[in-house]
Amino acid sequence: MDFVNTKLEEFNNYLDGRRVAIIGLGVSNIPLIEYMHEVGAETVVFDKRELDKIDHEIINKVICYDMEYSLGNNYLDKLVGFDIIFRSPSCLPTTPELKLEASRGAIITTEIEMFMELCPGTIFGVTGSDGKTTTTSLIYEILKAKGYNTYLGGNIGCPLFTKVKEIKPEDMVVLELSSFQLMNMKISPKVAIVTNITPNHLNIHEDMEEYIEAKKCIINSQNKESLVVLNYDNDITRDFAKDALGEVVFFSHNTKISKGYMVDQNSIKFCNGDFRTHILETKNMQIKGIHNYMNAACSIAATKDYVDLETAVEAICNFKGVEHRLELVKQTKDRIKWYNDSASSSPTRTIVGLNSFPTKNVILIAGGYDKNLEYEPIAKPIVNSCKSIILIGQTADKIEKVIRKEIKNGIKEVNIYRCETLEETVLLANKIATKGDAVLFSPASASFDMFKNFDDRGKQFKALVQKYID
């Protein structure tokens, strides 16, 4: 007998005669708009951008579907009298208009939360401040290698809402989940992975506590049959264990844990009391660096109940990495290597990148949009690893200030340069680089001051390297 998704049928019946609001005309909400049109829901779309700033193809689709729309600075003024509201991740549930509608009885949700409610498959959810995308991708590749019909979504992959009709109970779904998506979420994945938690997005979240509580939603609605994989080395994620309702598995680099997965430069092992089981040698992995070995360890932990070790190890060793994450763009005849690490949008991510280079001949290109983060922690790693740093964007002053303070401690001199455009940084780095240097584009900042997003920023950097570097 063919599987029938009764939850989906009930949801479709619920939509009949309901007023639906969709906030945000971004890529993730397009399938949602199409779905609401397909089921005939009375839908109004909202976006804070003006009409001329929205993709023509998207707005034409809204017009073709005969949906009302509200745009511009006061776009939420008409958010009144809706039964269900799908907010975009950037429109937090603390927004006054959303809180008012919720008090009137409206259901406030997101495309990804509703997908999780309706999805019959096993969901793996990955969150954290660093390592989310690589870990999500590794889990996806491991499950695929075992032969599961596997879907990839959330912050990466494709929007999955319209795929829910085809997903079966035996299928696997891997989601990368941000704090904005998780905030106030009332459902948790069966398998939850928290890679780490460090200060991030504090220009949007009210404070660090709100950011942590948003991340914690990934485990809040789990049950005794659930699994949560946590970074033991991170005080915040380790503390999540006391509130976990299901099985807890740790992974660690710094601590000899009694049960879980241990990582060092040479290997990944499973620990059970005094017993150590060797899993893989890191020299056989194509992605390098202790942070990637940690990502691999938690991916093994997450899939342990679904995939045998031999298959998981083979998938990990075949994995070539994710674009914009310590991605080798070019190596010149003088063995100068150019790396694109555009996804490093916070100081902690750039520190991880710098730690992947054991030599002290790094030329770092950094700076970008200011998320109100502290840059003191990045000063020592930069001074230790870099011969030169080229700064750009809003955070250039912040970064230069902490570096100069560190240099005054007499540890080591670092050449500091300033540029106005990304093109200038590439040309300057090419001019000052010498044989064997590594040029690392790792901004330690968000991209929105000069680029659409980190993907756009990384692609522009790669294009400039290909254009100018022989």
Side-chain angles (χ1 to χ4, degrees):
M1 184 177 176
D2 290 339
F3 168 72
V4 176
N5 190 335
T6 54
K7 282 188 176 181
L8 183 60
E9 289 185 343
E10 290 170 2
F11 177 66
N12 290 341
N13 291 334
Y14 168 82
L15 290 174
D16 186 25
R18 305 285 182 176
R19 294 194 76 216
V20 177
I22 298 175
I23 300 176
L25 284 169
V27 174
S28 65
N29 275 341
I30 302 310
L32 187 60
I33 290 169
E34 293 172 343
Y35 190 87
M36 293 303 154
H37 170 69
E38 183 181 322
V39 298
E42 182 186 343
T43 307
V44 182
V45 297
F46 297 79
D47 199 290
K48 62 184 175 182
R49 295 171 295 174
E50 298 291 348
L51 185 62
D52 60 348
K53 302 295 184 182
I54 298 173
D55 186 279
H56 290 288
E57 185 177 344
I58 295 175
I59 198 65
N60 287 341
K61 183 170 290 189
V62 170
I63 294 169
C64 178
Y65 290 164
D66 198 27
M67 293 179 176
E68 293 182 38
Y69 55 86
S70 179
L71 310 175
N73 289 332
N74 301 314
Y75 72 113
L76 293 181
D77 286 354
K78 296 180 181 179
L79 190 70
V80 179
F82 288 92
D83 297 293
I84 183 167
I85 299 171
F86 292 88
R87 67 175 183 86
S88 64
S90 61
C91 184
L92 300 188
T94 51
T95 303
E97 291 87 349
L98 286 181
K99 293 173 70 175
L100 185 58
E101 276 295 276
S103 70
R104 294 184 182 125
I107 297 171
I108 312 297
T109 186
T110 63
E111 174 262 345
I112 200 68
E113 182 176 22
M114 186 55 68
F115 167 80
M116 290 172 68
E117 290 278 5
L118 301 174
C119 176
T122 300
I123 298 177
F124 295 71
V126 183
T127 197
S129 301
D130 311 306
K132 291 191 300 294
T133 301
T134 298
T135 301
T136 304
S137 302
L138 276 167
I139 293 171
Y140 173 71
E141 294 298 333
I142 291 169
L143 292 169
K144 272 206 316 175
K146 185 60 179 176
Y148 290 108
N149 189 29
T150 310
Y151 295 82
L152 180 68
N155 275 352
I156 60 175
C158 64
L160 292 178
F161 195 85
T162 55
K163 301 289 185 182
V164 73
K165 293 178 288 186
E166 64 191 55
I167 297 176
K168 303 294 190 296
E170 62 270 21
D171 294 342
M172 302 289 170
V173 178
V174 192
L175 303 175
E176 179 188 315
L177 301 169
S178 69
S179 60
F180 307 134
Q181 291 167 316
L182 287 167
M183 196 172 180
N184 282 20
M185 189 178 277
K186 301 300 188 293
I187 185 170
S188 296
K190 183 173 183 180
V191 181
I193 301 95
V194 189
T195 59
N196 60 9
I197 296 179
T198 57
N200 207 349
H201 302 299
L202 299 185
N203 59 321
I204 299 175
H205 284 292
E206 183 177 338
D207 50 30
M208 187 64 183
E209 183 178 354
E210 181 182 277
Y211 177 61
I212 293 170
E213 287 305 309
K215 292 289 192 185
K216 198 173 182 181
C217 286
I218 200 168
I219 69 166
N220 285 347
S221 300
Q222 287 191 307
N223 56 41
K224 62 181 182 180
E225 296 178 353
S226 302
L227 170 68
V228 57
V229 180
L230 300 171
N231 185 339
Y232 192 88
D233 300 340
N234 184 273
D235 292 343
I236 298 169
T237 57
R238 185 173 66 247
D239 194 52
F240 279 12
K242 72 179 190 301
D243 296 316
L245 299 175
E247 181 184 3
V248 176
V249 176
F250 288 112
F251 62 99
S252 174
H253 166 54
N254 296 329
T255 307
K256 292 183 178 179
I257 51 180
S258 59
K259 188 171 183 179
Y261 294 81
M262 279 292 300
V263 176
D264 58 35
Q265 290 289 359
N266 300 314
S267 64
I268 298 175
K269 306 178 187 73
F270 175 69
C271 307
N272 189 2
D274 294 330
F275 292 98
R276 300 285 185 268
T277 304
H278 178 84
I279 295 176
L280 69 83
E281 294 184 17
T282 55
K283 68 181 182 181
N284 295 325
M285 293 174 58
Q286 297 189 56
I287 54 174
K288 302 300 182 183
I290 200 70
H291 63 295
N292 278 323
Y293 307 151
M294 291 280 277
N295 293 336
C298 70
S299 300
I300 294 169
T303 56
K304 69 181 181 65
D305 297 328
Y306 304 89
V307 182
D308 60 278
L309 271 178
E310 184 179 354
T311 301
V313 168
E314 184 178 1
I316 289 168
C317 292
N318 288 335
F319 184 69
K320 295 180 180 179
V322 182
E323 188 179 20
H324 310 307
R325 290 155 180 85
L326 286 179
E327 175 190 9
L328 179 61
V329 180
K330 179 173 281 193
Q331 178 173 333
T332 70
K333 60 184 179 182
D334 290 330
R335 292 189 290 108
I336 299 170
K337 294 182 178 180
W338 292 74
Y339 290 90
N340 165 34
D341 197 34
S342 177
S344 288
S345 57
S346 67
T348 54
R349 290 190 183 191
T350 295
I351 291 169
V352 167
L354 289 170
N355 289 340
S356 300
F357 296 89
T359 56
K360 311 297 182 185
N361 60 336
V362 176
I363 297 172
L364 176 66
I365 301 173
Y369 179 76
D370 193 349
K371 295 192 290 184
N372 294 337
L373 303 180
E374 296 296 327
Y375 281 87
E376 281 82 359
I378 205 173
K380 185 170 289 185
I382 287 176
V383 173
N384 285 343
S385 299
C386 299
K387 57 188 288 188
S388 301
I389 179 168
I390 304 172
L391 296 171
I392 189 175
Q394 293 179 1
T395 58
D397 288 339
K398 276 187 172 182
I399 299 172
E400 180 171 355
K401 182 179 179 181
V402 298
I403 293 172
R404 291 200 180 281
K405 183 179 178 181
E406 187 67 24
I407 290 172
K408 282 184 179 179
N409 294 333
I411 297 175
K412 176 171 158 273
E413 190 63 38
V414 176
N415 300 311
I416 303 174
Y417 303 90
R418 298 288 285 265
C419 289
E420 295 296 322
T421 67
L422 187 59
E423 183 176 35
E424 288 178 18
T425 70
V426 171
L427 291 171
L428 177 58
N430 188 41
K431 181 179 178 181
I432 63 177
T434 57
K435 187 175 182 178
D437 285 351
V439 180
L440 174 64
F441 177 49
S442 187
S445 314
S447 57
F448 307 118
D449 55 340
M450 301 171 70
F451 309 94
K452 293 179 182 178
N453 47 45
F454 77 81
D455 178 70
D456 174 47
R457 176 170 66 183
K459 281 182 166 59
Q460 289 197 38
F461 174 76
K462 291 197 290 183
L464 290 167
V465 171
Q466 297 297 348
K467 180 179 179 180
Y468 290 116
I469 309 306
D470 294 330

